[in-house]
Amino acid sequence: MSEKIRTIIVEDEELARNLLKSFLKKADNIEIIAECENGFEGVKMINELRPDLVFLDIQMPKITGFELLELLDHKPHIIFATAYDQYALKAFEYNAADYLLKPYSKDRLMEAVDKVAERIQTEGSGSDVADKVSDY
């Protein structure tokens, strides 16, 4: 894949954001275009920047990751990254590409990234992704 996957991180915990960024630096197909500390900021950045992929925490102050999804105009691929296993089924009902349970390894993260890269190659990239990914 020649184009980088435009990615936004929505995670309220700074340590978790930093770990995710450090793992993703080693992925040559990922470009982090924004990082957000809460769901409201995440909605704004996702709708403005229209990323291909969002790493999304579920439990955040003010609005949850699921509530964030309901407010999106743009529908990127979603990889949930959370400490709570009880939301996995609901995440896949929202057509999640993957569900990472904290603490996850770099290898597990890269598996999730590879899965999204394959989806993008199959479905198309950029604005086509929003049309082809089923609505939340």
Side-chain angles (χ1 to χ4, degrees):
M1 186 167 135
S2 58
E3 287 189 33
K4 290 187 180 270
I5 301 170
R6 299 175 69 248
T7 304
I8 292 179
I9 298 169
V10 182
E11 166 65 67
D12 64 314
E13 297 175 31
E14 185 177 5
L15 287 175
R17 265 194 327 274
N18 289 340
L19 180 63
L20 183 53
K21 287 188 303 186
S22 73
F23 284 169
L24 291 174
K25 279 182 186 175
K26 295 166 178 63
D28 58 0
N29 61 339
I30 293 286
E31 175 188 5
I32 299 172
I33 58 172
E35 56 182 277
C36 307
E37 296 179 10
N38 63 63
F40 288 129
E41 187 182 339
V43 169
K44 182 177 186 289
M45 289 290 99
I46 292 166
N47 284 333
E48 283 181 15
L49 299 177
R50 304 181 64 79
D52 303 308
L53 170 62
V54 173
F55 284 93
L56 182 60
D57 191 11
I58 292 175
Q59 292 287 356
M60 295 182 290
K62 299 181 183 166
I63 66 170
T64 68
F66 295 119
E67 291 167 332
L68 174 149
L69 293 176
E70 297 292 339
L71 298 172
L72 294 180
D73 297 325
H74 173 68
K75 308 292 187 188
H77 295 278
I78 302 293
I79 296 176
F80 284 98
T82 183
Y84 302 95
D85 62 355
Q86 68 263 35
Y87 300 113
L89 184 58
K90 185 174 182 178
F92 288 107
E93 290 172 359
Y94 278 83
N95 200 29
D98 212 330
Y99 193 91
L100 300 174
L101 192 58
K102 297 174 187 173
Y104 48 84
S105 67
K106 183 179 73 162
D107 289 341
R108 178 66 184 91
L109 172 66
M110 299 320 319
E111 285 176 23
V113 168
D114 289 345
K115 190 182 295 185
V116 170
E118 287 177 28
R119 277 189 179 191
I120 290 172
Q121 281 186 320
T122 301
E123 299 169 356
S125 61
S127 60
D128 295 338
V129 172
D131 298 332
K132 296 183 182 182
V133 174
S134 65
D135 286 347
Y136 305 119

